[in-house]
Amino acid sequence: MSAAEETPGGEDMPWGEVTPEAARRLLVAAVEAFAERGYHATTTRDIAGRAGMSPAALYIHYKTKEELLHRISRIGHDKALEILRAAADGDGTAAERLADAVRSFVRWHAERHTTARVVQYELDALGPEHRAEIVELRRQSDATVRGVIDEGVAAGEFDVPDVAGTTVAVLSLCIDVSRWFNAQGRRSPDEVGALYADLVLRMVGAQK
Amino acid sequence: MSAAEETPGGEDMPWGEVTPEAARRLLVAAVEAFAERGYHATTTRDIAGRAGMSPAALYIHYKTKEELLHRISRIGHDKALEILRAAADGDGTAAERLADAVRSFVRWHAERHTTARVVQYELDALGPEHRAEIVELRRQSDATVRGVIDEGVAAGEFDVPDVAGTTVAVLSLCIDVSRWFNAQGRRSPDEVGALYADLVLRMVGAQK
DNA sequence: TCCGTCTCTAAGCGCTTGCTCACCCTCGTT
DNA sequence: AACGAGGGTGAGCAAGCGCTTAGAGACGGA
């Protein structure tokens, strides 16, 4: 992680790598608008307006509206993959690492559900090359989770008849959090993360 | 179920209740287009073209493009709820009924993933009143699944610390099948249904 | 035969869209 | 003081949008 993504205090600063500041403001505005209305229902005038700029200003920093979506999608997927890998490559048993991965992955999808919604559900709005690039990142996410489950099975920790299918289900479950999660709801991101980690351990038949 | 929805052979005839035939052709075309590109990216000309008609023909059968989406959404949700209730109100233990519900619900989301994708992911494109109507149907789906889990817990069949949260997770898991399922993929709708029924039984801690 | 009804089309209206262009303002450098 | 570079704007273009309208053709009943 680059220094630009962290404040001096060390807390996470999203979109810190996007410069200059005007480009970042536009990108944050686009994330909000895309998450609320969807990519196709969002106009470039709406994005520029939210960022406090004229419609033409957008095209100084981004070539097209689709490039904006691609930047958002790319950064978001990189972050999601980084979170999964940090947990998967950590110490501990396969069960501990899987629970860790699910907990942090779900927490991210809940906490930053605005971004996650765009990242996960607006994939089809990308052009062919950009979409292919993102699909490859997803393949890596899948491989990361499958690896932990494989290790758990090999170590006798898990009981999983269908590793590939279970991997898809686990990732699907986590990703869909961004669709239904509501910040005003009863549950905090931490609570949902803990619940889901428990559910996934049950899915893979980890002994408690 | 009305007679119009079934062929003489008894097999399921989707959109059978939509008449006249031209209106049904338009609706089927709209489902395909909405599923492929999303509601906002689909033009009325595209829908009419797929149905082999002129753009103006659409407005003989539907007042607006949004009404088309509403009809699709309404019929789809009715069908989904009917499937869930048929399983939940059946005979057998809570575990059997929950497995049955998940199996048939998932099978529907896989088999008819085109429709399901529109029904489940284009909710926000509806106007306020139409959206409220659909949200109410979803509440009933949630209540149906929650009921079965509650009964399983009461009967000592299940071990579920958080019934509300687990219900959301189960439904979310099933619904998201429509996003990733691919007819050309390796798995049949039946196989995915069986896998998911097993996974859900594990999630609720049903003894095998 | 004439009429009213229903389904559908060709043409197009008013508006919004993504995006461009000519121009201006604010800088740090010389 | 003069300058070049880069970030910003107001106005607007071509294209495409959802939807309407005038009228054509088919058809059943009086």
Side-chain angles (χ1 to χ4, degrees):
Chain A
M1 187 185 292
S2 81
E5 282 181 59
E6 305 245 343
T7 61
E11 78 216 83
D12 221 39
M13 153 109 142
W15 313 119
E17 70 253 69
V18 182
T19 54
E21 199 239 338
R24 180 165 54 243
R25 256 166 47 221
L26 282 164
L27 191 133
V28 169
V31 169
E32 281 172 21
F34 291 164
E36 267 176 40
R37 313 198 200 311
Y39 174 79
H40 288 292
T42 299
T43 70
T44 54
R45 281 165 239 263
D46 183 20
I47 297 169
R50 284 176 194 244
M53 302 165 115
S54 81
L58 199 152
Y59 294 90
I60 295 163
H61 301 282
Y62 303 95
K63 239 171 38 199
T64 64
K65 180 179 149 189
E66 194 260 0
E67 190 194 308
L68 246 175
L69 177 62
H70 173 241
R71 284 279 260 272
I72 293 167
S73 210
R74 173 81 218 212
I75 294 172
H77 270 94
D78 281 345
K79 184 70 189 168
L81 185 53
E82 179 195 315
I83 286 171
L84 276 179
R85 283 195 169 142
D89 298 344
D91 301 323
T93 64
E96 285 165 354
R97 283 179 289 134
L98 182 60
D100 224 46
V102 169
R103 195 163 28 236
S104 49
F105 196 58
V106 164
R107 199 165 40 208
W108 185 78
H109 277 83
E111 232 157 40
R112 312 195 46 79
H113 66 278
T114 329
T115 303
R117 211 168 291 176
V118 177
V119 161
Q120 302 290 2
Y121 292 103
E122 300 288 349
L123 183 69
D124 290 342
L126 289 171
E129 322 84 31
H130 285 162
R131 177 157 65 243
E133 179 193 322
I134 301 295
V135 164
E136 169 58 21
L137 287 174
R138 292 212 194 193
R139 235 189 31 75
Q140 293 179 36
S141 294
D142 187 277
T144 304
V145 171
R146 188 185 314 216
V148 180
I149 296 180
D150 269 332
E151 288 164 26
V153 171
E157 286 182 64
F158 299 162
D159 164 36
V160 180
D162 180 349
V163 172
T166 304
T167 302
V168 169
V170 168
L171 276 171
S172 160
L173 188 64
C174 296
I175 285 171
D176 204 50
V177 167
S178 65
R179 183 179 55 89
W180 61 260
F181 186 84
N182 186 297
Q184 273 77 39
R186 268 195 302 276
R187 277 162 223 277
S188 71
D190 277 336
E191 287 163 356
V192 178
L195 169 65
Y196 270 51
D198 177 53
L199 288 173
V200 167
L201 286 186
R202 289 166 175 237
M203 287 166 76
V204 297
Q207 52 262 57
K208 307 223 70 176
Chain B
M1 189 184 292
S2 82
E5 282 180 59
E6 305 244 345
T7 62
E11 77 218 82
D12 220 39
M13 153 108 143
W15 312 121
E17 70 252 70
V18 181
T19 53
E21 200 240 337
R24 179 166 55 243
R25 255 166 47 221
L26 283 163
L27 191 133
V28 169
V31 169
E32 280 173 21
F34 291 164
E36 267 178 39
R37 312 191 193 323
Y39 174 80
H40 289 292
T42 299
T43 70
T44 54
R45 280 164 241 261
D46 183 21
I47 297 169
R50 284 175 194 245
M53 300 166 115
S54 81
L58 199 152
Y59 293 91
I60 294 161
H61 301 281
Y62 303 96
K63 240 173 36 203
T64 63
K65 180 179 149 189
E66 193 262 358
E67 190 194 308
L68 246 176
L69 176 62
H70 174 240
R71 284 278 259 274
I72 293 167
S73 209
R74 174 78 216 213
I75 294 172
H77 270 94
D78 281 345
K79 184 70 189 167
L81 185 52
E82 179 196 315
I83 286 171
L84 276 180
R85 282 195 171 142
D89 298 346
D91 301 323
T93 64
E96 286 165 353
R97 285 179 288 133
L98 182 60
D100 224 46
V102 168
R103 194 163 29 237
S104 49
F105 196 58
V106 164
R107 198 165 39 208
W108 185 79
H109 277 82
E111 231 156 42
R112 312 197 45 80
H113 65 279
T114 330
T115 303
R117 211 169 289 175
V118 177
V119 160
Q120 300 292 1
Y121 292 102
E122 300 289 349
L123 184 69
D124 290 343
L126 289 170
E129 321 83 33
H130 285 162
R131 178 157 63 245
E133 179 193 322
I134 301 294
V135 165
E136 169 58 21
L137 287 175
R138 291 213 195 193
R139 235 188 32 74
Q140 292 178 37
S141 295
D142 187 277
T144 303
V145 172
R146 189 186 313 220
V148 181
I149 296 181
D150 269 333
E151 287 164 26
V153 170
E157 286 181 64
F158 298 162
D159 163 36
V160 181
D162 180 349
V163 172
T166 303
T167 302
V168 169
V170 167
L171 277 171
S172 159
L173 188 63
C174 297
I175 286 171
D176 204 50
V177 167
S178 65
R179 182 179 56 89
W180 60 260
F181 186 84
N182 185 295
Q184 273 76 38
R186 268 193 301 275
R187 277 161 222 279
S188 72
D190 277 335
E191 286 163 355
V192 178
L195 169 65
Y196 270 52
D198 176 53
L199 287 173
V200 167
L201 285 187
R202 288 165 175 239
M203 286 165 77
V204 298
Q207 52 262 55
K208 309 222 73 179

